[in-house]
Amino acid sequence: MSMRTKPAAVVAALGLAGILTGCGAQAQDATTSTAPPDASVAPAAADSRLGEVMRDKAVQVCTTGDYRPYTYKDPDTGQWSGIDVDMARDLGESLGADVEFVQTSWADVVKDLNEHCDIAVGGISYTTDRAQKVAFSDATSPDGKTPIVRCGEEDEYATVADINKPSVRVITPVGGTNERFAEKHFPDAQVTKFKDNNTIFDQIIQGKADVMVTDASETRWVAHEKPQLCSVHPDKPFDHFDKGYLLPQGDTVWEEYVDNWLDIASQDGTKTAAEKKWYG
C-alpha cells in the first residue's frame, strides 16, 4: 500500500504521453505466472515506488515553486516552470505517468516528500541533515554560495568578512540552506529573514538590503533577468555542494530508475534544453 497521500496542495495533473519499455517481464503461461496483475510492472519493482507510479500512472512531485531557475509557480496563473519542473515532466513521460506537483516549502520539503510524494525537485542542495531522513539522486549540478549585490558594489561584498559587519544589511529567505549560511557566517551583520523568495531580490534593488548570499546558479539567473544586480565571483563561491533530487530512503529500485533516467536525460540533450531556457 502506498504511503503517498494527495493533499489539497496537489495542483492539476499535467498529462504526459509515453510508455516505459524494457521493464516488463516476458509473458508467461497464465496458469504458472507469478507476475503482479499489471504485467507491465516487473516483479522486482512491484513493491517499489516505481511499481506504484507505473500502476497509478501518476508521479507526485514535491517542489517549492519559489526558486528560479529551478522551480516557479506563477501566482497569477498557477502554471509551473523551471529547469527541474521540465525535468520532472520528462521523468513522468519516461514512465507514461501524469505529473502531479505538490507545493511545499523549504522548511517542510523533507516531511512532505515522506508523507505525500515520490520525489522532490527544485534546486535542492545536498546536506547531512536531509541525508539523515531522505535519499538523494545522483548530482544534477555542482554549486556553492556566493553574493549578489547592486551592480557597481561587487568589491564591497567580495568576502565573508566584508559582509559580516554591523553596517551591512543581509537578506535571506526562510527555512533553507541560505538562512543557515547567513546565521553561521554573518552573526555581526543585520540579517533580515524574508518570507517571499519570489520578490526577495527586489529588496536589494530598492535599497532595502545590501546583499544576499545564495547559490551561484541562482545568482547567474538573477543577473541575467535583473540588470541592476550583479553576481559576485560565481565561478569561485564561498563553498561547494551538489544539487540533486530527494527520494524516499530504502527504495533502491526507485533510486536506480531515477538515476538511470537522469543519466540518459543528461546525455541526450534533455537537461541542456531545460537549462537553456533560463540561462540563455
Side-chain angles (χ1 to χ4, degrees):
M1 178 68 67
S2 171
M3 292 183 65
R4 298 178 297 167
T5 61
K6 296 190 178 183
V10 177
V11 301
L14 300 173
L16 295 166
I19 58 172
L20 181 70
T21 59
C23 287
Q26 292 184 346
Q28 298 178 345
D29 185 270
T31 60
T32 59
S33 173
T34 58
D38 182 350
S40 67
V41 180
D47 295 327
S48 163
R49 293 293 179 106
L50 177 60
E52 292 176 11
V53 168
M54 293 173 67
R55 286 190 295 268
D56 296 346
K57 304 297 182 185
V59 55
Q60 291 172 253
V61 180
C62 279
T63 191
T64 62
D66 67 351
Y67 183 27
R68 289 171 287 187
Y70 296 102
T71 174
Y72 179 62
K73 183 182 180 183
D74 189 300
D76 296 324
T77 67
Q79 295 299 306
W80 292 87
S81 61
I83 294 169
D84 285 346
V85 169
D86 284 353
M87 291 295 286
R89 288 169 174 155
D90 188 77
L91 173 63
E93 185 173 358
S94 78
L95 291 160
D98 292 339
V99 174
E100 300 173 348
F101 289 108
V102 179
Q103 189 161 20
T104 184
S105 67
W106 290 107
D108 293 332
V109 63
V110 169
K111 177 180 71 69
D112 285 346
L113 167 71
N114 285 325
E115 293 180 1
H116 306 304
C117 295
D118 303 301
I119 186 171
V121 309
I124 303 173
S125 303
Y126 291 6
T127 68
T128 53
D129 289 345
R130 289 169 178 160
Q132 292 170 16
K133 301 173 183 177
V134 295
F136 281 97
S137 71
D138 288 343
T140 57
S141 60
D143 217 329
K145 299 296 185 188
T146 207
I148 187 161
V149 301
R150 289 178 292 274
C151 292
E153 300 179 4
E154 295 94 321
D155 291 343
E156 298 180 35
Y157 307 105
T159 69
V160 169
D162 290 337
I163 299 170
N164 187 35
K165 297 177 179 178
S167 60
V168 176
R169 298 169 300 167
V170 177
I171 193 164
T172 186
V174 176
T177 58
N178 289 340
E179 180 184 26
R180 290 196 290 275
F181 189 94
E183 289 175 340
K184 178 178 179 180
H185 295 283
F186 310 133
D188 296 331
Q190 303 173 46
V191 177
T192 297
K193 299 180 180 182
F194 197 74
K195 292 184 178 180
D196 186 359
N197 208 32
N198 287 320
T199 62
I200 195 168
F201 298 102
D202 295 330
Q203 302 297 301
I204 303 174
I205 294 172
Q206 295 166 11
K208 298 176 181 178
D210 299 312
V211 58
M212 176 176 168
V213 175
T214 185
D215 300 350
S217 56
E218 185 177 31
T219 68
R220 287 191 178 98
W221 170 77
V222 173
H224 178 70
E225 291 291 312
K226 298 180 183 292
Q228 305 97 321
L229 299 179
C230 286
S231 177
V232 182
H233 51 64
D235 295 327
K236 296 181 179 180
F238 293 144
D239 59 6
H240 171 83
F241 49 83
D242 288 319
K243 292 183 181 297
Y245 304 141
L246 302 187
L247 303 164
Q249 281 185 341
D251 192 337
T252 57
V253 172
W254 181 227
E255 288 180 41
E256 288 174 1
Y257 182 88
V258 171
D259 285 340
N260 286 326
W261 156 78
L262 180 58
D263 181 59
I264 294 169
S266 298
Q267 296 185 54
D268 68 4
T270 299
K271 184 169 178 285
T272 299
E275 293 171 340
K276 188 174 183 180
K277 295 179 182 179
W278 295 84
Y279 294 129

